[in-house]
Amino acid sequence: MMRRLVLMALLCCWTAQGQQAVVTVVGEPENLQLVKDRLTTYQACLQENCYGPQMDRQIKLATDFLKQSAATAKYGEKLALVLDIDETSLSNWAVEQKDDYGYIPADSNACVAQHCGKALPGTLSLFKEAEKDGVKVFFITGRPETQRADTEANLKAEGYDAWEHLSLRAADHPKDQSVIEYKSGERVLIVKQGYRIVLNVGDQMSDLLGDPMAEHSVKLPNPFYFLP
Ligand SMILES: [Mg+2]
């Protein structure tokens, strides 16, 4: 089997000159730089399978869920919208580009300290819709508690003017606690206050999974980094 694959790779690249050939690698993953180039194109392009239009589509679905939930809620019911922050409410594209898709903690922390996050316009409009519909907003972020003041200042400067609660990760959280355990644990506290979490929006599946899940969960695109 392996011999046949090598032969195929050899044959595929036999040149017109007849005597030269490149033996390619079978099963080699896509080149890292080419992936980065594709991501950069994806982030900026405007066709329907690009970042901006995909983001708009997900936000439209989320907004429809929110409006429908608000319109059909019983009198006196407390409704909640859960939002993640990074790449959901605020974009860190500037630092992602600066670090060429690498994660450099010092740069990331400097970005937080300088309030460099930019509102993602679709999520900001969803936030405003929640305010209009009387749905309370709960931010749940994996940022550490030490970044609370900077995070609040950045959110407010970008138009997220009021919310019910902002959860950040406590310094003494269990070291083996997963993102899913942390975020679903924060949702437990919201439910215990008598809220129906009608919608949860995040850019990672770990923002959305775990018990209790929201009645509707919407994943935003983010192929730029992964948080399990
Ligand atoms: Mg995020």
Side-chain angles (χ1 to χ4, degrees):
M1 178 66 177
M2 184 53 72
R3 193 184 293 174
R4 194 165 29 161
L5 288 172
V6 170
L7 183 63
M8 282 169 63
L10 185 68
L11 289 177
C12 82
C13 300
W14 204 267
T15 67
Q17 288 87 349
Q19 295 303 315
Q20 297 153 321
V22 174
V23 180
T24 58
V25 179
V26 175
E28 180 182 26
E30 189 173 0
N31 180 274
L32 178 59
Q33 187 56 53
L34 298 182
V35 174
K36 288 179 180 177
D37 291 346
R38 274 205 297 133
L39 290 178
T40 304
T41 300
Y42 166 77
Q43 197 276 342
C45 63
L46 297 173
Q47 291 93 326
E48 65 174 342
N49 59 348
C50 298
Y51 179 66
Q54 287 187 338
M55 181 71 96
D56 291 346
R57 201 154 51 240
Q58 297 305 91
I59 290 293
K60 165 85 169 63
L61 289 169
T63 305
D64 289 348
F65 287 139
L66 185 75
K67 284 182 173 174
Q68 186 187 31
S69 300
T72 56
K74 296 194 188 95
Y75 179 77
E77 269 189 317
K78 293 160 69 177
L79 305 189
L81 162 65
V82 171
L83 292 174
D84 168 56
I85 293 184
D86 294 301
E87 274 51 70
T88 297
S89 303
L90 297 175
S91 167
N92 298 289
W93 182 243
V95 74
E96 286 174 52
Q97 283 292 277
K98 176 175 180 283
D99 291 343
D100 193 28
Y101 299 108
Y103 172 65
I104 301 176
D107 288 351
S108 182
N109 291 336
C111 176
V112 172
Q114 293 158 14
H115 312 161
C116 83
K118 296 290 172 209
L120 283 152
T123 308
L124 184 57
S125 73
L126 177 69
F127 174 92
K128 297 291 182 190
E129 181 63 40
E131 282 186 330
K132 203 170 86 182
D133 295 343
V135 178
K136 299 294 184 190
V137 175
F138 293 76
F139 287 107
I140 304 179
T141 176
R143 293 185 181 192
E145 187 65 45
T146 51
Q147 294 180 337
R148 178 177 290 277
D150 286 324
T151 299
E152 289 182 344
N154 198 163
L155 286 169
K156 285 185 174 161
E158 289 298 307
Y160 297 95
D161 47 5
W163 52 82
E164 192 65 16
H165 189 70
L166 164 62
S167 299
L168 299 102
R169 226 159 182 199
D172 61 350
H173 76 266
K175 291 297 166 231
D176 58 351
Q177 184 188 52
S178 69
V179 175
I180 290 177
E181 287 167 343
Y182 157 61
K183 293 207 163 192
S184 60
E186 293 302 308
R187 293 198 297 276
V188 167
L189 301 179
I190 297 169
V191 170
K192 277 187 176 168
Q193 293 173 62
Y195 285 93
R196 272 178 59 203
I197 304 176
V198 293
L199 178 64
N200 182 8
V201 180
D203 64 290
Q204 307 282 326
M205 289 304 291
S206 53
D207 296 326
L208 311 175
L209 300 177
D211 196 34
M213 282 180 64
E215 292 173 18
H216 300 96
S217 298
V218 176
K219 165 79 170 67
L220 300 181
N222 182 5
F224 313 115
Y225 60 83
F226 177 62
L227 298 171

